[in-house]
Amino acid sequence: MRLATIRIDGGTRAARLVGEHAVLLSAPDVGALLADPDRSAPTGGPRLPVAELDLAPVVPRPSQIFCVGLNYRAHIVEMGREMPTTPTLFAKFPAGLLGARDPLVLPAVSDRVDWEVELAVVVGRPLRRGTAAEAAAAIAGYTVLNDVSMRDWQTHSTQWLPGKAFEASTPVGPWLTTVDEVGAEPDLEVRCAVDGEVMQRARTGDLLFGPAETLAYISRFTTLRPGDLVATGTPGGVGNARDPKVFLRPGQVLRTSIEGLGECVNECVKEVG
């Protein structure tokens, strides 16, 4: 099953995708639907063409967004780091999320805006100090995320947060694909392209810490709740690791895709004002 959050009538609604149409549900967004699964609608509800949807972030207001750094073996080598023994975590905030077709505004205060394709886990049920098996059962599904990073701000100190938490900088979507369609530990191709040139290509089977192991680890210090997002890390090919370094420019199109999960297509625009 695929679930999306769409912008409609001045607000948002959750929708279930059926073929080339979206069936509107009673919940205001996918996060609310996961928190209260009874807020659904019959298959005969109002329908809209998928191609015409105005897609919001699949979970617009997650209570928590965790991201894993240095989680693909090839990327760890690329960045000159040692293999970590536990997940390297940082946080984002709901204000940082973008829809799958929204423009990506390149902030005027950064000239080193980089791309990072990531498989994102959407939590479907509360998880606290769970085992790997319990964590796997808590996964509602997966979506596509790009952890767009302002590398100059990321390196202001040893803490990554400033470069990772810019507002409206993280495309996520286009929809949630439930775990029954792809499995709890899927091996999927992830790809990031800029103006059609493939910059990153890998498989999630190269993850050092898989989705269930990562969720179980996080649940040891905080409760994960329905709708929370966990971005599992990016593979090699980021612009900051290239020689010479390459960063996003206004007018370019950032395309982030994962096998079977869809893609985010975001045009880069210059910040005005």
Side-chain angles (χ1 to χ4, degrees):
M1 181 167 56
R2 294 180 298 163
L3 299 168
T5 298
I6 64 173
R7 301 182 181 109
I8 186 171
D9 297 333
T12 61
R13 288 277 294 277
R16 181 171 57 251
L17 276 59
V18 181
E20 297 303 315
H21 289 84
V23 180
L24 295 182
L25 307 178
S26 62
D29 56 62
V30 170
L33 180 63
L34 293 174
D36 183 5
D38 291 334
R39 298 184 68 171
S40 59
T43 56
R47 294 178 175 233
L48 299 171
V50 171
E52 298 177 10
L53 298 179
D54 183 2
L55 295 164
V58 65
V59 181
R61 291 172 294 277
S63 67
Q64 300 176 107
I65 306 170
F66 289 102
C67 304
V68 186
L70 304 173
N71 201 22
Y72 280 83
R73 293 170 179 86
H75 182 49
I76 296 169
V77 172
E78 172 186 65
M79 300 303 289
R81 305 291 188 91
E82 295 183 359
M83 295 288 171
T85 57
T86 58
T88 302
L89 299 176
F90 59 93
K92 285 181 175 284
F93 307 101
L97 302 182
L98 278 177
R101 304 291 184 266
D102 292 344
L104 172 61
V105 179
L106 305 182
V109 295
S110 175
D111 58 7
R112 295 177 60 189
V113 184
D114 204 352
W115 53 82
E116 295 191 38
V117 56
E118 305 207 11
L119 173 72
V121 182
V122 183
V123 177
R125 66 177 69 167
L127 182 69
R128 175 63 168 163
R129 294 177 181 162
T131 64
E134 290 168 336
I139 297 173
Y142 297 95
T143 191
V144 180
L145 182 146
N146 198 308
D147 177 27
V148 174
S149 300
M150 289 57 180
R151 299 298 190 189
D152 36 8
W153 284 76
Q154 183 179 343
T155 55
H156 281 177
S157 73
T158 58
Q159 302 300 312
W160 297 353
L161 182 64
K164 298 288 190 174
F166 271 64
E167 292 184 4
S169 64
T170 304
V172 58
W175 38 71
L176 161 69
T177 300
T178 54
V179 72
D180 58 292
E181 291 200 13
V182 293
E185 299 284 335
D187 181 19
L188 306 174
E189 183 183 78
V190 300
R191 183 185 301 193
C192 181
V194 178
D195 281 351
E197 180 181 356
V198 176
M199 299 297 189
Q200 294 178 282
R201 179 185 284 150
R203 300 196 68 85
T204 56
D206 189 43
L207 285 168
L208 186 60
F209 303 102
E213 183 179 3
T214 301
L215 265 61
Y217 177 80
I218 295 170
S219 78
R220 294 174 197 168
F221 63 83
T222 191
T223 301
L224 288 167
R225 299 175 177 85
D228 284 352
L229 296 177
V230 178
T232 58
T234 199
V238 298
N240 195 54
R242 294 172 179 265
D243 186 14
K245 298 180 186 298
V246 183
F247 300 107
L248 293 169
R249 304 187 306 275
Q252 292 184 319
V253 175
L254 178 66
R255 188 179 296 268
T256 314
S257 60
I258 299 181
E259 178 185 359
L261 304 185
E263 63 179 10
C264 298
V265 182
N266 305 93
E267 181 180 1
C268 299
V269 298
K270 184 178 180 180
E271 183 178 28
V272 177

